Amino acid sequence: MNVYIVIDMEGVAGVTHGSMIRTGHVEWRDRGTRLMTAEANAAIEGAFLGGASSVLVKDGHDSGQNIRREDLDPRADLVTGNSVTVGLMPGLDSTFDKLFLMGFHAKMGTRFAQFDHTISTATINNLSINDIVVGEIGMYGMLAGLRGVSVALTTGDGPAVDESLDLFGAHQGVRVKQGLGRFAVRTFNPDQVLSNITEGAKNAMNNGAPPLEVSLPVTISIDFLRSAEADMAEMVPGSVRSSARTVQYVHEDPDTAFQALQAMVALAGIAASRWASGLYKSGDSVV
C-alpha cells in the first residue's frame, strides 16, 4: 500500500505560539521544524508497521521548507518547496491507497480552534467547494477523493480532527492538543502524542472510510476579506465575479479547478501585501 502524507505545522503538538510557525524566526528554526519532523516520522513508522510499501511526504506549511530532510525517516521521500505551480499534492494519483493529513488546523471561523484559518489569514474569509464550506482539510481531502484516495488519518487540535471526521466519515483521528481560542491551547505530552500518532497511523492502514465522492464539475468559490483581493483573483481566465468579495471558478477537470484556486489565492496575496504595506491609501489612512 502506498501512503501520501501532507503535513502542516499549526496543528503539531508543542506548537503553541505564532513565532514557532513563522518562517525564519528562531523559534520556527529551533523548535517548530523539529517538532513537525518528529510527528512526520511517527506517522511514517506507523504506516510501515501497518503494511505500507512506500510513503511520500509533502511539506504543506507556508513555503514548504520546514521538514528537516536529514532527520526524516530515510524510508520516505519528501516533496519540499513552494508547490503553487505544480499542484496541491504533487505525485498523488490513483496508485496511492491512503492520505494522512497531519498537523492541521480548523477552518476559518471555528470556535475553540488554535490558529483557525483557511489557506491565508490575510485574504480568505471562506472557501467553498461544490457548495460545501471547507478549510484546508476539506480542500486536500476532496482532491484526494477525486483521485480515488481516502483520508485515513488526521492529526491536529481537537476542532481540526472533528472537522475531518464530520466531512470524511470514520477514520483514525489523533488529537495532539486542544485549542482554547485562536491564540490559546492546552498541550498534551509530546512523547505520548508521538506514540499515539504511530499507533493511529498503523491502524489507519487497515481501517477508514472510502474515498469521498466529489461530483463534477468542480465549483470553487472564494469569499475574500476585501474587494481588492477579489479584483486580483478575477484576473484568472474563466473566473466569475459573483459579488464584491467573491470569485467563482468552475471546471470539469479537477486539476484545472484546483490550480485555478491556487492562482486566485496567489493573486489575492498581492493585493493583501499592498494593503499591509500601506500602498492603498485615502488621505492619511490605509483603507
Side-chain angles (χ1 to χ4, degrees), residues 121-282:
T121 56
T123 60
I124 295 179
N125 181 45
N126 269 320
L127 165 67
S128 295
I129 300 176
N130 288 3
D131 296 322
I132 301 173
V133 177
V134 297
E136 293 166 44
I137 289 170
M139 178 180 69
Y140 281 108
M142 293 178 88
L143 179 56
L146 285 161
R147 293 177 178 169
V149 182
S150 63
V151 175
L153 171 70
T154 302
T155 74
D157 73 351
V161 173
D162 291 340
E163 180 180 318
S164 191
L165 291 170
D166 287 344
L167 185 56
F168 303 118
H171 63 279
Q172 294 294 308
V174 178
R175 294 167 174 81
V176 305
K177 55 188 174 182
Q178 179 58 50
L180 303 176
R182 195 167 199 281
F183 301 114
V185 64
R186 177 177 177 174
T187 63
F188 304 151
N189 180 280
D191 291 336
Q192 185 61 54
V193 164
L194 294 179
S195 177
N196 292 346
I197 289 174
T198 297
E199 186 66 20
K202 178 183 175 181
N203 293 336
M205 296 304 297
N206 297 295
N207 295 286
L212 185 69
E213 293 186 7
V214 182
S215 62
L216 297 176
V218 176
T219 300
I220 305 289
S221 181
I222 307 177
D223 180 41
F224 293 99
L225 293 174
R226 290 169 287 270
S227 58
E229 290 137 20
D231 290 342
M232 294 295 290
E234 191 182 10
M235 294 172 65
V236 172
S239 64
V240 176
R241 186 76 166 263
S242 58
S243 75
R245 294 187 291 110
T246 305
V247 180
Q248 292 184 332
Y249 188 92
V250 181
H251 208 282
E252 286 283 345
D253 177 56
D255 288 335
T256 301
F258 280 87
Q259 285 174 344
L261 164 60
Q262 290 183 281
M264 288 191 289
V265 173
L267 287 167
I270 297 172
S273 64
R274 288 174 61 86
W275 178 85
S277 64
L279 293 179
Y280 291 131
K281 292 187 175 181
S282 176

